[in-house]
Amino acid sequence: AKQPQHPDSFKQKKEPVPVFQAPLEDRTLISLCVDEGELALTEERVPAQLSSPLVLPPPPSQPSLKTCSPREFLEHFIFPVLLPGMTELLHQAKKEKCFERKRTKFIALDFLTEWLYNRNPKRKDEPFVEFFEIPFVKDWLKDHPRPPIPLSLLLSEEEAGIIIQSFWRGYRVRCELEVQELRQWQKHLRETKNITKRVQEFWVKQEKKVGTKIEDSVQPSPMQSDMSALEPAPAPTPA
C-alpha cells in the first residue's frame, strides 16, 4: 500500500490579494502576491486625470419691467423680495409659538408689512420704523380702527401664571369653614342693619360738620371786632 504524502510536499498555490487604490493624485495600484512565504509588491503608476474647469452658464438678463410677461415679473421682481420676507415670517411665527397655540397676538401681515417697508432699497441707511409708525399704516388706521387685543393674548406666560395662582389661592381660602362663616355673618349684617344706608348717613354728617367749621372760620371773632373798635378814626381831609 502506498503511504500518504506529507503535507509539506504539496506546492502552494498563489493567492492574489485585492488591489487597494490610494486617494492620491498619482494613484498607485499595489498587488500583493504570496509565493512560498515571500511578499512580492508590484506597482503601477496611473496618470492623474486633469479635471476640466467648470464653466457656468451666463446669468440670464433681467427683462424689462414694462414689457415682461406676468411670469417673468413674478420671478424677477416679486419673488426675490418676497421669499426672504416669508422665511423671516416663519422664523418669527415659531418664536411666537404660533405652531403650538390656536390663538396668539402675532399678526403675520403686520410683520411682513413692517419687514418689507424697512428693507426697501429706497430707505437705505434710514432708522427702523415700527408697524404702527409707518405713514400709510397710520392713515389707514385712522379710517379703519382696530378692536383692542384681548388681555389674555397680551400677557406673558409668567404674568398669566401669577394671575391664575392668585385666584386659586383666594378660592382655597374662601373654601375654609371659618372664612365661610365670616362671609355669611357679613351678608346677614348687610341685610339687617342696612350698612350702605348707615355709611351714607355717616358721610352726610361729616360733610355737615366740615361745612359748619368752614362757616365759623369765615365769621369774625369777638377779639377782631374789639380791635377794630380801638383803631383810631381816619383824620378828615382838608377842604
Side-chain angles (χ1 to χ4, degrees), residues 122-152:
K122 296 181 180 180
R123 297 191 66 259
K124 190 176 181 180
D125 299 332
E126 293 189 12
F128 181 84
V129 180
E130 296 183 356
F131 173 76
F132 291 102
E133 298 299 328
I134 299 176
F136 63 84
V137 174
K138 295 172 67 175
D139 296 339
W140 172 265
L141 292 178
K142 286 181 182 178
D143 301 330
H144 307 82
R146 292 183 175 181
I149 300 177
L151 181 61
S152 59

Side-chain angles (χ1 to χ4, degrees), residues 16-31:
V17 180
V19 178
F20 298 90
Q21 185 175 358
L24 301 175
E25 292 183 359
D26 298 334
R27 298 176 183 177
T28 303
L29 299 179
I30 303 175
S31 60

Side-chain angles (χ1 to χ4, degrees), residues 178-208:
E178 296 179 355
V179 177
Q180 289 185 3
E181 292 179 0
L182 177 61
R183 297 183 67 187
Q184 292 293 334
W185 176 78
Q186 291 177 344
K187 180 180 179 181
H188 178 71
L189 186 64
R190 286 194 299 268
E191 293 176 354
T192 56
K193 300 295 183 179
N194 199 356
I195 299 298
T196 306
K197 185 177 180 180
R198 295 183 63 179
V199 170
Q200 292 177 355
E201 293 175 355
F202 171 78
W203 283 114
V204 169
K205 291 180 181 180
Q206 294 295 324
E207 291 175 357
K208 288 182 179 180

